[in-house]
Amino acid sequence: PYRTFTATAARVANSPITIPLQFRAYRTPTDPFGAVDTPANNATGIVGSIGVTGWALDDIGVSQVTIWRDPMPGEPTGPNGKVFIGNAVPVDGARPDVDAAYTQPFDYQAGWGYLMLTNMLPNEGNGTFKLSIYADDVDGHRVLLGTRTITTDNANARKPFGAIDTPTQGGTASGTAYMNWGWVLTPQPSTVP
């Protein structure tokens, strides 16, 4: 059922303000669900940066989406037997199709993404790697959204590559004095003018 909440504050121009609320009762919490969109499974010839993207929802809320890879021999692993790569960032409005198809909390933030520098993978980013993407919800459930096997070939990279360091992934930049930092490299014998 829908209800409204009205907040009133003295000497505030837009007071009172009415906010619509929807209440739902769940007998048993459910697991998060979603999908991995990119990269394509069994993609080959990957160099430089690639996007790992998809969407995830939950009946209460998704707390995080994490990207992991299978370990190389002798590498230490996390509790899931994988090597942690990074946390994906939810992106408001990135998946209007998912937002329209589901009525879950925070469905406008269903889309997530992570920019992975493949040259930072083992063997300087040359070889075949299996990625595993997990979604966690706020009440402690974890599910595997999907896996992707990719083959990278940074030894034969010809194009420049790099990353933006600030603002941080999912961060906010504001003001006129905000400094933007990043970096770019290119394989020899090319140069970045």
Side-chain angles (χ1 to χ4, degrees):
Y2 286 91
R3 301 284 186 260
T4 58
F5 170 78
T6 302
T8 305
R11 297 182 299 279
V12 175
N14 65 343
S15 178
I17 187 168
T18 301
I19 303 165
L21 301 174
Q22 180 182 17
F23 296 94
R24 283 191 258 175
Y26 292 97
R27 198 172 296 148
T28 305
T30 61
D31 291 339
F33 60 96
V36 179
D37 296 328
T38 63
N41 197 33
N42 297 314
T44 61
I46 296 173
V47 298
S49 302
I50 63 163
V52 181
T53 65
W55 62 272
L57 289 171
D58 184 65
D59 61 335
I60 299 174
V62 174
S63 61
Q64 67 179 357
V65 173
T66 54
I67 294 95
W68 303 72
R69 66 171 172 80
D70 282 2
M72 303 300 282
E75 271 189 301
T77 62
N80 60 359
K82 311 280 184 199
V83 176
F84 178 72
I85 294 177
N87 290 309
V89 174
V91 183
D92 289 6
R95 292 300 302 267
D97 58 326
V98 175
D99 189 10
Y102 294 95
T103 56
Q104 298 288 345
F106 310 105
D107 51 18
Y108 63 93
Q109 289 182 330
W112 53 261
Y114 180 81
L115 185 63
M116 185 173 68
L117 297 171
T118 63
N119 62 311
M120 300 303 290
L121 292 169
N123 193 29
E124 297 179 352
N126 295 289
T128 299
F129 303 95
K130 182 178 179 183
L131 307 177
S132 298
I133 297 88
Y134 293 89
D136 296 318
D137 67 13
V138 295
D139 50 338
H141 301 109
R142 170 175 276 187
V143 297
L144 177 65
L145 293 177
T147 62
R148 293 292 186 267
T149 299
I150 60 170
T151 301
T152 58
D153 187 20
N154 285 290
N156 292 301
R158 296 289 171 253
K159 295 181 180 179
F161 63 95
I164 297 171
D165 295 330
T166 58
T168 58
Q169 186 162 266
T172 301
S174 63
T176 58
Y178 190 86
M179 298 297 292
N180 178 236
W181 299 93
W183 59 271
V184 64
L185 295 173
T186 193
Q188 293 181 347
S190 300
T191 60
V192 177

